[in-house]
Amino acid sequence: MRQLSYIIPALALIVQAALAQPYHGERLGRGMVGIRTATAMFLSWRMLPDDPDTLAFDVYRSAGGRELKLNTEPIRSASCFADSTADLSRPARWRIACGGRTLAEWTHDGVSPARPYLSVPISRPGGGTVAGRSYTYSANDCSAGDLDGDGEYELVLKWSPSNSKRPPQRGFTGNTILDAYKLDGTRLWRINLGPNIRSGECTTNFLVFDFDGDGRAELCCKTADGTIDGTGRAIGDSLADWRTHDESSPTYGKIVRGPEYITVFDGLTGRAIDTKEYIPTRYPLDGWGGVGGNGGNDSTGGRSDRFTACVAFLDGKRPSPVMVRGWYGRTVLAAWTFDGDSLRSLWTFDSAEPGLERFSGMGNHNLAVADFDGDGCDEVCVGAMTVDHDGTGLYSTGLRHGDALHAGRLVAGRPGLQVFGVHENEGKRVEHLRTPTVAMFDGATGEILWQDAPGADAGRGVAADIDPRYPGAECWCSVGGLRRGDTGEVVSERKPGACSFIVYWDADPLSELLDHTTISKWNWREERTDTLLRAEGCVWTNGTKGNPCLSADLLGDWREEVVWPSADQKELRVYTTTIPAGSRRPSLMTDRQYRLAVAWQNVAYNQPPHLSFTLE
């Protein structure tokens, strides 16, 4: 049994050397944030990879023309501080300093009420009418990147129309819209993807990352004729309409012809920098079925219009956008590089190529990126198979399509990374294939460590360390009980009801549960969940999946933030913890695997980010 004393961590800085995949690509500032509680101003700031473990901070408050030092001893054991002596009915400014040098500041206006979040005002687009039916917009997925080079994150928000469709569904959709916001609500740009990009969670993935290394993030996504960039300029033929207008057609409202593009946009202005033909094309339309899912196929754009995407350091040095098409049968990965001016195709992996048949039907509704084989370069796991950094197939487990995927150091005592997959069994394939519902496999080799529940179907599942009595992660899904991550043994028939996202919220290294608009803690002693936060006045995204717009370590210390939209769609609310911590760590965003997971979080069926190391 693991010692429980680690729940109160040692008061020491865990330096970046402990990370398996350090990432120095972003020139981050301190991310200082202040949250007014009922009794104090809770201040939190970011530790950086190069900070020495002896680094000490001082906190000062200025109000009414006077400045007061608040700490009696230098702060070495944490990167947060609660000021309970301030008069919060008056304006005040706090700053953190080291050796007399100011590192960051936070200002309070004396008016803002006590609330557990930062408010980011957003501009909801007006709705419209298509094919005689009206639609409205709601805030959907977000991503984060330093768009203006100031060392702090901005948010890119996808506005989803109410008539969004899944690929098999007929009918028209409103246009997908992407906005960029600074955290004070300043809108940097708006991109309208246009009528020839169908709206839906399976089609529009957007990557926000600094691809050319100039200190400012870009946006990369699939585009089409009529996409309008952030400067008002159209891509391709602005008058083209490639949608099927014949109401009797099985592709009515879909886009199954016409050009497809990939575009990189400037992060500061939204200007389209370069556009290339999307790889691969959708053809043949009936070439995307197979053994995944229910084993079906179609020629109506249902199978061909299934997309994911990610960012990967394929050479270990430069980030590449990787676009993925196809899940259930044929799967194609196309890797690109961007040098600041132009996109260049790097390689293409196509499971339809001779000799690669074992890689077909292995794609998920999601993916994971990590240095799975320990060679310093990233690989892309798209579900039950992984493609190596050079575009060759690394392995296929043969476990077929699934709905959930988690990759990290999940099995204690085992070197490298492991992958926990939740697999799908449906239709005529249930009795014939009897795919295991859950499986844990080695991330480098694909060796299946354990599997269970053949033939059952599960839509969601999680692997995370929530119980200190067992080493490594625990695993659970919508079928069965709570399992050990190392053996698959069911340790309890009771499990958390939340089965989607996880988050680091309190001060211990165990994961908390994030579901819909609630953060909770698994009470392993009593086998129940205890609520830590209810985001009153917020709504979740993506229907029954109950996702936030984004979860990531955006601000403050190493705990994560959660972004939800307000119910009135007027603001994004960035929730950040006010629980005091007795330990400090570099920002989780400085772990390469975690940072890349934040970049792909918005694709298809959203999954939470995992670290490349074990949080102790």
Side-chain angles (χ1 to χ4, degrees):
M1 183 179 297
R2 186 165 39 167
Q3 294 296 317
L4 305 188
S5 59
Y6 84 108
I7 295 178
I8 302 176
L11 303 183
L13 173 65
I14 299 179
V15 296
Q16 187 74 14
L19 307 190
Q21 297 175 315
Y23 171 56
H24 297 268
E26 289 177 303
R27 296 187 280 271
L28 293 177
R30 291 292 169 179
M32 188 173 180
V33 61
I35 294 293
R36 180 179 177 179
T37 70
T39 59
M41 179 65 74
F42 186 84
L43 305 166
S44 180
W45 57 93
R46 184 183 289 135
M47 297 297 296
L48 300 173
D50 296 329
D51 288 340
D53 56 6
T54 57
L55 187 66
F57 297 95
D58 292 313
V59 181
Y60 298 85
R61 181 183 69 237
S62 298
R66 297 180 58 191
E67 184 174 73
L68 176 67
K69 182 179 177 181
L70 301 178
N71 55 297
T72 56
E73 297 291 333
I75 300 171
R76 292 189 174 91
S77 61
S79 55
C80 59
F81 183 88
D83 180 4
S84 59
T85 63
D87 180 358
L88 298 177
S89 66
R90 300 177 59 194
R93 177 177 57 88
W94 292 262
R95 66 182 180 97
I96 56 169
C98 177
R101 181 169 62 94
T102 297
L103 300 180
E105 297 182 344
W106 184 261
T107 301
H108 171 59
D109 59 12
V111 177
S112 298
R115 57 192 183 191
Y117 60 84
L118 299 180
S119 173
V120 181
I122 54 178
S123 304
R124 187 182 193 180
T129 302
V130 61
R133 296 179 179 270
S134 61
Y135 61 89
T136 59
Y137 281 98
S138 59
N140 192 250
D141 295 326
C142 281
S143 193
D146 183 3
L147 302 178
D148 58 8
D150 67 352
E152 303 301 339
Y153 290 116
E154 283 75 47
L155 297 175
V156 176
L157 167 66
K158 179 173 79 172
W159 289 100
S160 182
S162 56
N163 57 2
S164 292
K165 297 286 192 294
R166 294 175 57 79
Q169 294 177 306
R170 299 167 74 248
F172 287 87
T173 71
N175 299 351
T176 297
I177 293 172
L178 299 173
D179 280 354
Y181 293 96
K182 292 185 70 65
L183 293 186
D184 63 3
T186 300
R187 193 177 80 191
L188 299 178
W189 44 257
R190 170 166 288 176
I191 293 170
N192 189 323
L193 292 182
N196 295 308
I197 293 290
R198 205 161 186 246
S199 294
E201 63 185 355
C202 299
T203 50
T204 295
N205 312 297
F206 56 101
L207 303 174
V208 179
F209 213 82
D210 181 6
F211 291 107
D212 60 359
D214 68 350
R216 294 194 294 110
E218 291 80 37
L219 166 73
C220 181
C221 67
K222 186 173 182 284
T223 57
D225 284 342
T227 293
I228 306 299
D229 76 3
T231 68
R233 186 179 61 177
I235 292 172
D237 183 352
S238 62
L239 301 179
D241 184 350
W242 296 105
R243 298 171 296 181
T244 302
H245 289 263
D246 179 2
E247 291 191 48
S248 65
S249 171
T251 64
Y252 173 64
K254 298 184 183 183
I255 301 130
V256 294
R257 59 195 183 98
E260 301 173 279
Y261 309 123
I262 177 176
T263 299
V264 171
F265 299 87
D266 182 84
L268 183 60
T269 66
R271 175 181 63 89
I273 301 174
D274 191 35
T275 296
K276 292 291 194 295
E277 181 181 354
Y278 189 87
I279 300 174
T281 69
R282 57 175 69 92
Y283 308 111
L285 289 179
D286 62 355
W288 300 90
V291 298
N294 61 15
N297 198 2
D298 63 60
S299 59
T300 60
R303 291 293 195 252
S304 64
D305 274 22
R306 304 276 184 161
F307 301 93
T308 54
C310 62
V311 181
F313 284 78
L314 299 172
D315 63 358
K317 300 175 183 177
R318 297 172 300 172
S320 290
V322 182
M323 314 305 281
V324 185
R325 187 173 210 155
W327 303 341
Y328 300 113
R330 178 188 178 198
T331 297
V332 182
L333 288 77
W336 300 80
T337 61
F338 177 70
D339 63 7
D341 295 312
S342 60
L343 278 161
R344 181 174 64 86
S345 175
L346 187 61
W347 51 252
T348 301
F349 174 91
D350 189 340
S351 71
E353 293 291 326
L356 298 179
E357 293 84 0
R358 69 189 185 280
F359 293 96
S360 287
M362 303 297 152
N364 261 35
H365 292 285
N366 27 62
L367 45 66
V369 177
D371 178 10
F372 286 107
D373 58 8
D375 62 358
C377 305
D378 289 328
E379 288 74 46
V380 182
C381 176
V382 299
M385 64 96 154
T386 294
V387 174
D388 209 347
H389 66 275
D390 59 359
T392 60
L394 188 62
Y395 60 78
S396 173
T397 66
L399 295 175
R400 292 170 286 280
H401 166 79
D403 285 358
L405 187 71
H406 298 264
R409 293 189 182 273
L410 306 178
V411 176
R414 185 180 181 90
L417 303 170
Q418 297 79 45
V419 181
F420 174 69
V422 176
H423 301 280
E424 187 173 303
N425 288 275
E426 60 180 19
K428 62 185 179 182
R429 294 284 170 173
V430 172
E431 292 300 323
H432 175 59
L433 294 175
R434 294 186 64 76
T435 299
T437 302
V438 290
M440 181 76 74
F441 61 89
D442 186 275
T445 66
E447 175 192 356
I448 298 172
L449 306 181
W450 56 264
Q451 57 182 304
D452 200 13
D457 183 59
R460 298 183 189 116
V462 181
D465 188 3
I466 61 171
D467 190 330
R469 295 174 296 180
Y470 308 103
E474 288 72 50
C475 307
W476 69 101
C477 71
S478 50
V479 174
L482 184 66
R483 300 174 181 274
R484 288 178 60 138
D486 53 355
T487 66
E489 173 194 358
V490 175
V491 296
S492 175
E493 294 301 325
R494 304 182 71 177
K495 62 188 177 184
C499 199
S500 181
F501 264 59
I502 52 175
V503 64
Y504 291 116
W505 189 257
D506 64 13
D508 70 32
L510 297 175
S511 290
E512 282 68 60
L513 311 169
L514 170 57
D515 185 55
H516 292 79
T517 53
T518 299
I519 295 174
S520 58
K521 183 85 170 173
W522 178 244
N523 185 330
W524 46 270
R525 292 184 178 89
E526 300 182 23
E527 296 187 327
R528 60 178 174 82
T529 53
D530 297 331
T531 299
L532 302 180
L533 172 76
R534 292 189 186 276
E536 303 291 348
C538 290
V539 293
W540 59 85
T541 69
N542 300 324
T544 59
K545 297 178 184 64
N547 301 141
C549 295
L550 180 68
S551 70
D553 183 10
L554 300 174
L555 295 163
D557 67 14
W558 58 273
R559 275 84 61 82
E560 295 174 285
E561 282 66 49
V562 184
V563 182
W564 284 288
S566 60
D568 62 10
Q569 301 291 302
K570 292 183 178 180
E571 61 182 350
L572 295 176
R573 296 180 178 177
V574 182
Y575 281 78
T576 184
T577 186
T578 57
I579 299 172
S583 63
R584 63 184 191 180
R585 300 170 171 87
S587 167
L588 304 187
M589 294 288 258
T590 61
D591 177 53
R592 191 170 91 195
Q593 179 180 322
Y594 181 93
R595 180 64 185 91
L596 296 178
V598 172
W600 58 246
Q601 186 180 137
N602 68 80
V603 307
Y605 291 6
N606 301 9
Q607 297 286 271
H610 286 270
L611 294 160
S612 70
F613 63 99
T614 301
L615 197 66
E616 296 290 355

